[in-house]
Amino acid sequence: MEKVKESDSFFKSQNANWEHADPGITRQIIAHNNDLMLVSVKFEKGAVGTLYAHIHSQGSYVVSGKFKITISGRSKILEAGDGFFVPPNALHGAECIEPGILIDSFNPAREDFLKQD
């Protein structure tokens, strides 16, 4: 992994752009260095984070809304205050039942997200 630019120490949401991720899904990168990335992901009702896998460990927190989260063939409905963990290389995805926001953390940082900067 090459050295990525480290984010500022402080993040102000109103000063950061929302990037298109997938249809009905946008994201803001909150903080990152090589070892860690924190991302806010906003979903419209019916938006689908297609099943996929990546090398990163991922921990996610449901800030608002309702989601059907699938990890390694198991699905659960999660709401505000709930969370989930995705181990490296596990097939996972999200379906938005009620509009909401997830906070995703990744180790190591998602270099593919930074290339869009």
Side-chain angles (χ1 to χ4, degrees):
M1 170 186 260
E2 67 181 69
K3 178 72 173 156
V4 298
K5 181 182 174 197
E6 190 170 277
S7 65
D8 290 336
S9 295
F10 299 98
F11 171 80
K12 296 288 287 179
S13 180
Q14 69 266 25
N15 296 335
N17 293 325
W18 286 91
E19 304 170 352
H20 172 78
D22 283 311
I25 304 172
T26 55
R27 67 175 167 243
Q28 282 183 322
I29 297 173
I30 298 170
H32 66 87
N33 67 9
N34 279 20
D35 300 319
L36 179 70
M37 178 175 274
L38 193 63
V39 181
S40 181
V41 187
K42 188 185 305 182
F43 286 74
E44 296 174 6
K45 182 177 181 172
V48 175
T50 307
L51 287 172
Y52 72 112
H54 48 66
I55 63 163
H56 312 83
S57 294
Q58 176 180 340
S60 297
Y61 176 76
V62 181
V63 175
S64 60
K66 184 185 282 188
F67 297 86
K68 178 181 176 185
I69 304 296
T70 302
I71 304 167
S72 299
R74 293 180 53 222
S75 297
K76 296 271 185 192
I77 304 297
L78 300 179
E79 301 178 276
D82 297 336
F84 58 95
F85 173 72
V86 181
N89 303 307
L91 193 62
H92 64 287
E95 179 182 337
C96 184
I97 298 167
E98 294 177 5
I101 294 177
L102 300 177
I103 299 295
D104 292 338
S105 61
F106 299 99
N107 175 275
R110 295 284 306 261
E111 290 184 54
D112 54 325
F113 288 7
L114 296 172
K115 288 183 184 357
Q116 295 181 11
D117 286 344

